[in-house]
Amino acid sequence: MQHAVMMRAPAYALLLTIAALSTFLSCVHAAPPTLASKLQGYLASHGVNATVPATAYASQTYGAPNTVALTCAILNAYRDKDLVTAQDGQEYVSEAQQHWSPTAWGHPNCIFEPTTIPEVQFFVGLLAITGATYAIRSGGHSPFKDFASTDNGVLIAMHQMKTVEYDAASETVRLSMGNTWEDVYGALVPHQRVVVGGRLPPVGMALITGGGLSHYSNDKGFASDNVVDFELVLADGSLVHANATHNSDLWWAMKAGQNNFAIITHITTKAYPLGAVWGGLRQWNASQLDAVSDAFAEYQREGQLDTKSSVIPDLVPTNGTLFITLIYFGPVTERPKAFDPFYRIPAVSDNSKAHPNFLDLISVGPPQVVPRFSYGFSNLYLDNSTTYRDVMRLCAQQGEKMKQVNGGTQVLIPQPISKSMIDVAQHTGGRPQGLKSRAQLWMNMSWGWNLAKDDAYVYALIKETYEKVDQLTKSRGLYDPYLFLNDAFPDQKVLRSYGEDNFQRMVQVSKKYDPTQMFQKQVPGGFKLN
């Protein structure tokens, strides 16, 4: 198919045809003579007879940051309807800021929004030639700069790819990476099915690339444990499947390898029958922090042994409120016994009840009261002493330091991890995280505030807090070095925490499937292997 597309932007008035590309680039002092021929051959092989602005080629150096303008110009000629630039005004601002927290906002040179797998393949193949830097965004839930955003690079935003295909015969669902979990859960309601996915409806599919903690994890393991197939575009633009029988080493690595190996276009994951579900939100005031902390330890020792039960807290001592979401994946109409430790504490409010479906239950949660958010992580083992209480107290003391920050808020999210969650991987092809088969508490320490001028102060406080928690748990022999990628701060060495053997195995997978190391060099954001 031939394309002859004029660019929308007025600055792109001076055009250079593919036929003249080689001659023009050979005159550019810094560019190697192979760049023009590579581009000409690549575009021709994709049936693209595009017009490209001559100004975009001025002073290009192969593989250098200023090749971004060249890349954007070619993408605009290839699919102008899929490209957004700063000259698109408010549309550009809206697309560039599609992130959960403003702390993640960037200023990409252009935003490419593919709608098909071949468009993703064209994108990756083109950037393999130009060497431009880029970022990959699914739902944009990460609060960290460059993880799913870029300044002056190219952003590929997957949100236009939104399909949910349930297959009743195999009890699996094929999901494209532009979905949110709300999209997925909603599409499965008519089938009375659910998948092991995100706990918050607006979160995107990239949660899978960190492992993914789900309300359903106590029974079914982590989100990525349930992925039976990844559809991936490799650094050379080829499309491959990674599953138990094809590219199984890549399948293993993708379960918690973030953006180090390929761009995911689709996943196929297991679906489970689920109709009505019981649960809701229970609230206390902050004076009950010790009692709620003790209840978490008791729940892990006893209640969590019922694998149909799930709890996720949002403890906000800075605002005087403690919330916990309780969910039970079973046909019950009254409070399950697993949650008794929490019901022995008198509450301010409780809206728990039977819900017609899972999405209806999780659609109501604590509000986000300030725009800017970030977090850090620490991991500790369950014990029979007061360690959970002491960790919460320590964190709450650190939260007092947020009083000098405009809108300063602390949210503690102690996530009880059962042995059953960890042991699932023995039957699902393994995973790279190297988790110990032992009950533990994944401590997410989240922080919210209003103004960008306070970013540096808050980031320093986040680091200070998780280091203090680590010191406390190390002193009691309860520290675990594993870092949960979805909750970790950028300074934390997540991939190394998987253990040296698993880390080196991931490095070898990277070299095998990405021999040019595109995803290490041209995709600089995230937790990297290099």
Side-chain angles (χ1 to χ4, degrees), residues 8 11 30 154 171 185 217 220 233 292 346 386 400 457 459:
R8 293 174 289 177
V154 183
E171 285 288 15
Y185 298 141
S217 288
K220 306 298 183 184
V233 176
V292 172
T386 61
E400 290 294 304
Y457 174 85
Y459 292 153

Side-chain angles (χ1 to χ4, degrees), residues 18 27 73 177 226 323 389 408 441 454 473 493 517 527:
I18 295 299
C27 298
M177 289 300 286
N226 290 270
F323 298 96
R389 176 188 293 198
L441 192 73
D454 294 317
T473 58
K493 306 301 182 184
Q517 294 293 277
F527 297 104

Side-chain angles (χ1 to χ4, degrees), residues 59-297:
S59 302
Q60 297 298 337
T61 301
Y62 177 72
N66 59 5
T67 57
V68 170
L70 169 61
T71 303
C72 289
I74 294 174
L75 288 171
N76 196 80
Y78 169 64
R79 290 284 191 275
D80 70 326
K81 67 180 178 63
D82 296 337
L83 198 78
V84 179
T85 71
Q87 294 174 350
D88 291 309
Q90 187 55 44
E91 180 186 3
Y92 168 84
V93 174
S94 176
E95 294 298 339
Q97 296 180 357
Q98 286 294 320
H99 295 269
W100 174 58
S101 171
T103 53
W105 289 352
H107 298 87
N109 190 295
C110 63
I111 305 169
F112 185 61
E113 302 173 340
T115 58
T116 66
I117 291 175
E119 289 178 1
V120 179
Q121 291 180 272
F122 179 88
F123 173 89
V124 176
L126 174 63
L127 272 76
I129 296 172
T130 66
T133 57
Y134 67 101
I136 309 157
R137 188 179 71 201
S138 173
H141 189 69
S142 172
F144 304 124
K145 193 73 176 285
D146 298 329
F147 275 47
S149 61
T150 176
D151 281 331
N152 303 315
V154 183
L155 175 62
I156 179 169
M158 305 296 288
H159 63 273
Q160 298 288 359
M161 298 180 68
K162 298 183 91 167
T163 57
V164 179
E165 304 167 43
Y166 169 62
D167 181 67
S170 64
E171 285 288 15
T172 60
V173 189
R174 182 174 181 259
L175 306 170
S176 50
M177 289 300 286
N179 286 300
T180 64
W181 291 105
E182 181 175 18
D183 299 326
V184 176
Y185 298 141
L188 292 176
V189 166
H191 304 287
Q192 291 194 314
R193 294 295 184 273
V194 71
V195 295
V196 183
R199 294 169 296 180
L200 298 176
V203 172
M205 304 301 295
L207 167 136
I208 292 283
T209 67
L213 188 55
S214 171
H215 286 300
Y216 219 173
S217 288
N218 196 23
D219 191 31
K220 306 298 183 184
F222 305 122
S224 64
D225 291 328
N226 290 270
V227 175
V228 297
D229 185 67
F230 290 97
E231 295 173 52
L232 306 168
V233 176
L234 301 181
D236 62 0
S238 62
L239 177 71
V240 301
H241 288 259
N243 50 53
T245 57
H246 295 86
N247 305 307
S248 59
D249 52 351
L250 183 57
W251 177 55
W252 172 86
M254 288 299 303
K255 292 181 181 183
Q258 209 181 39
N259 57 8
N260 282 285
F261 306 101
I263 293 182
I264 308 172
T265 65
H266 297 77
I267 65 165
T268 299
T269 191
K270 298 174 186 175
Y272 299 99
L274 185 69
V277 61
W278 184 94
L281 198 66
R282 188 166 173 84
Q283 179 183 346
W284 303 270
N285 61 47
S287 64
Q288 299 280 24
L289 183 60
D290 282 354
V292 172
S293 301
D294 292 344
F296 270 103

Side-chain angles (χ1 to χ4, degrees), residues 479-506:
Y479 169 80
D480 187 287
Y482 168 73
L483 298 168
F484 181 38
L485 188 150
N486 296 91
D487 286 350
F489 193 66
D491 285 356
Q492 297 186 285
K493 306 301 182 184
V494 170
L495 302 183
R496 287 282 183 182
S497 79
Y498 295 179
E500 188 62 21
D501 288 347
N502 285 348
F503 178 80
Q504 291 303 329
R505 185 178 171 188
M506 294 176 79

